[in-house]
Amino acid sequence: MNELQPGTFVIMMKNADGSFSPVGMTKEQAYIVLSFLSRLSTDEPFIVKDNEKYVQAT
């Protein structure tokens, strides 16, 4: 997580114990997701909830 650049999208899954785990995907899957997200946010940009921050515990 420390190698990620600012502005990078990270997809997380909430676990049963309340923790979050990052979702891994292939380059092809990532391309499809990023293409969808960029088109989705064209008309209505995403809102960054900068008052909520999550940090890596381990």
Side-chain angles (χ1 to χ4, degrees), residues 4-29:
L4 297 174
Q5 297 296 317
T8 301
F9 277 98
V10 177
I11 298 176
M12 306 290 271
M13 182 173 83
K14 187 171 185 177
N15 302 310
D17 65 0
S19 65
F20 293 87
S21 294
V23 173
M25 61 184 77
T26 66
K27 285 185 180 184
E28 291 81 11
Q29 291 168 324

Side-chain angles (χ1 to χ4, degrees), residues 26-57:
T26 66
K27 285 185 180 184
E28 291 81 11
Q29 291 168 324
Y31 176 79
I32 291 167
V33 170
L34 287 174
S35 296
F36 174 76
L37 289 175
S38 65
R39 184 159 287 201
L40 180 66
S41 66
T42 301
D43 295 331
E44 194 170 333
F46 293 116
I47 298 169
V48 177
K49 298 176 73 178
D50 55 7
N51 61 329
E52 291 184 31
K53 295 185 180 186
Y54 301 94
V55 296
Q56 185 174 348

